[in-house]
Amino acid sequence: MEPRLVGPGPYRATRLWNEIIELFRAGMPLRKHRCRFKSYERCFKASEAVDCLHELLGSNQNFGPEVTRDQTVKLLKKFLKNHVIEDIKGRWGKEDFEDDGHLYRFPPSSPLKSYPKKPSCGKEVIKFPDWNEPKAGTSQEHIPVKSVTMNSEMWYKRHSIAIGEVPACKLVFRRELTQTNIEEIWKSMTLSRLQKVLGLDSLDEVLDTKLVNSKHIVQNVCNVNKQGIVTLEDKSKELPHWILSAMKCLANWPSCSDLKQPTYSGFERDVFKTIVDYFGQMKEPLLTFHFFDVFVSVLGLLQKPSKAVEALQISCLLLPPENRKRLQLLVRMMARISLNRDLPPLSESVRTRTLMVQTFSRCILCSRDEIDLDELLAAKLVSFLMDNYQEILSVPSALKSSIEDHVVHLQRVQIKYTGADSDATLPPPSFCHRISTDEFEYQRATGSQEPLAALLEEIVMNKEISVKNKKKKLKQFQKSYPEVYRVRFPTPETEAVLFPEKTKQKPPILMWALKKPFQPFHRTRSFRM
């Protein structure tokens, strides 16, 4: 059975669990073993299981080579507890698996975890907040619109398109956005972008959007110092000064401005233990329980680093500001310690980078409920965070610019053409109550008749333009606003009065035209002599 990449989406941890069980059952060699003068068919030693599963996890692109042997043993303990494996006497349910020579076997069928049944949902686009509720003490039935004075020449220039192709339009005056409106825009557009990056039809399966605080997003983006670290409004939520001093000491080792140089061996390990104890006593991880599924889904994008970085950038904006700040400081310290060759080893048996990942992964990401793969998933995420922390924990400039531009766009007076959708990708909220098509047509006809009738009358009474030009303008007006034109000229006769036909005078009848055509002279007898 070939391993496959488990991408982002709902129940990713459960899908990975089932994937590993199937790969382990298919790849674990089974043979005959003897124990206490008795032979057992189709079984394996504990150490053989550790070797096989460790190699399997290291070559699997969902986990990678950074999985340690100790983490593999912990996973096999969970396998034994969940009856994925059992000892040769059929016992299971405890986490007493050790990396030794005890014999184990597979039960007839290893239980795969089932997926929770939820109603299927079609493709969902994050909707913008509904601001149709009027302000207290105001009515939105009649929104004041500033009248525009337009003479005939201006109207003609604006309607110089081919006759019959001038679309009807109206000015849309936006209501002033409140701070709550702006915060909801930030939330809506941020979640919409996250959904697109993850490639999901809906965020419902990985995130309860009601738990996303829009104020947190705005503060994480706007309230930052020169180093990009969040500045907290509530100073009581800051890290204690002694913890900050300890973190700076190890991050900047051996240069340290807050503490004097140590005078005894092992000082750096004592400082490190102080930091570990502080973060280890937190009741909730820095990425919070609510967003566990989101960050696990992001792990499915690690084969596309640029997308994974963007997804983590956006996901970290959802955190409470105090959590985001602590994450920024902690991961930066971890990365600097891992790369600092001047810092003495903090462990005799484990490399410094591995120690950082194993020590702090659980205080960064874990599930409220016991998840069998949460330690491996957290280690994978923390490793990626350490490698890309400067970009991941910075404010995504493209997202910030697009949201700020959209807010300005919503506050600007716009010209709305009939049938045109100026915001197809991000539909703007409407400040007016929805009405039927018939009612809209009636309002459009009656509401604009007075200024249009005045404009038509100005064209009619203008004596400075030629008759030919006036006829052309009137024809354009008739095509664009037939109702207003029909009121002014209800019958062809009323229109004909404006351009009376000139009576053509018949030319005078000449006297010679009444005579017969000229005939040659004939001599008669009366002329004879």
Side-chain angles (χ1 to χ4, degrees), residues 203-426:
L203 289 177
D204 289 342
E205 302 290 359
V206 298
L207 174 65
D208 185 356
T209 56
K210 295 179 181 178
L211 300 177
V212 177
N213 191 326
S214 57
K215 294 181 181 294
H216 292 170
I217 299 175
V218 176
Q219 185 173 350
N220 288 333
V221 172
C222 301
N223 297 355
V224 295
N225 59 19
K226 294 181 180 180
Q227 290 75 33
I229 306 297
V230 179
T231 57
L232 302 183
E233 297 176 353
D234 187 356
K235 300 303 179 183
S236 64
K237 296 181 180 180
E238 295 277 5
L239 280 173
H241 177 72
W242 54 274
I243 284 294
L244 283 174
S245 299
M247 295 174 69
K248 290 179 181 178
C249 178
L250 293 184
N252 302 317
W253 188 277
S255 301
C256 186
S257 58
D258 291 353
L259 297 175
K260 296 181 180 180
Q261 289 289 54
T263 57
Y264 66 91
S265 178
F267 173 79
E268 66 282 349
R269 295 190 181 185
D270 290 342
V271 175
F272 181 68
K273 185 177 183 302
T274 301
I275 300 172
V276 172
D277 291 342
Y278 176 81
F279 283 96
Q281 53 83 32
M282 294 189 309
K283 297 181 180 180
E284 187 175 18
L286 294 176
L287 300 184
T288 74
F289 293 133
H290 297 313
F291 302 137
F292 174 80
D293 290 331
V294 175
F295 286 100
V296 170
S297 292
V298 174
L299 289 175
L301 296 174
L302 294 189
Q303 301 302 316
K304 302 175 181 178
S306 59
K307 278 192 170 294
V309 167
E310 184 181 2
L312 286 174
Q313 269 187 330
I314 300 174
S315 300
C316 289
L317 292 179
L318 310 182
L319 300 173
E322 59 271 17
N323 287 42
R324 178 178 171 86
K325 181 170 185 177
R326 296 184 181 198
L327 181 68
Q328 289 174 318
L329 297 175
L330 178 60
V331 176
R332 185 176 65 176
M333 181 204 73
M334 294 166 59
R336 290 183 177 180
I337 290 177
S338 301
L339 299 175
N340 191 348
R341 296 182 179 180
D342 296 329
L343 181 67
L346 299 176
S347 174
E348 298 293 341
S349 57
V350 183
R351 294 187 304 112
T352 302
R353 177 184 172 87
T354 304
L355 178 65
M356 294 296 108
V357 174
Q358 291 181 350
T359 303
F360 294 108
S361 60
R362 189 164 182 82
C363 71
I364 292 178
L365 178 69
C366 69
S367 172
R368 186 191 304 273
D369 304 321
E370 183 179 358
I371 301 296
D372 298 310
L373 291 177
D374 60 351
E375 186 172 347
L376 293 177
L377 298 175
K380 184 78 172 176
L381 179 67
V382 171
S383 296
F384 191 78
L385 272 174
M386 290 174 61
D387 294 336
N388 304 274
Y389 77 96
Q390 291 182 330
E391 192 173 1
I392 291 174
L393 296 177
S394 63
V395 176
S397 56
L399 178 64
K400 180 183 177 183
S401 299
S402 65
I403 297 177
E404 289 176 343
D405 292 344
H406 191 67
V407 171
V408 173
H409 168 73
L410 291 178
Q411 293 173 327
R412 186 183 299 128
V413 177
Q414 302 171 30
I415 298 179
K416 184 78 172 180
Y417 288 93
T418 304
D421 190 359
S422 58
D423 296 315
T425 57
L426 296 172

Side-chain angles (χ1 to χ4, degrees), residues 443-459:
Q443 292 183 7
R444 184 181 68 170
T446 58
S448 58
Q449 277 187 354
E450 185 176 349
L452 290 175
L455 179 62
L456 177 60
E457 194 64 27
E458 183 179 350
I459 298 174

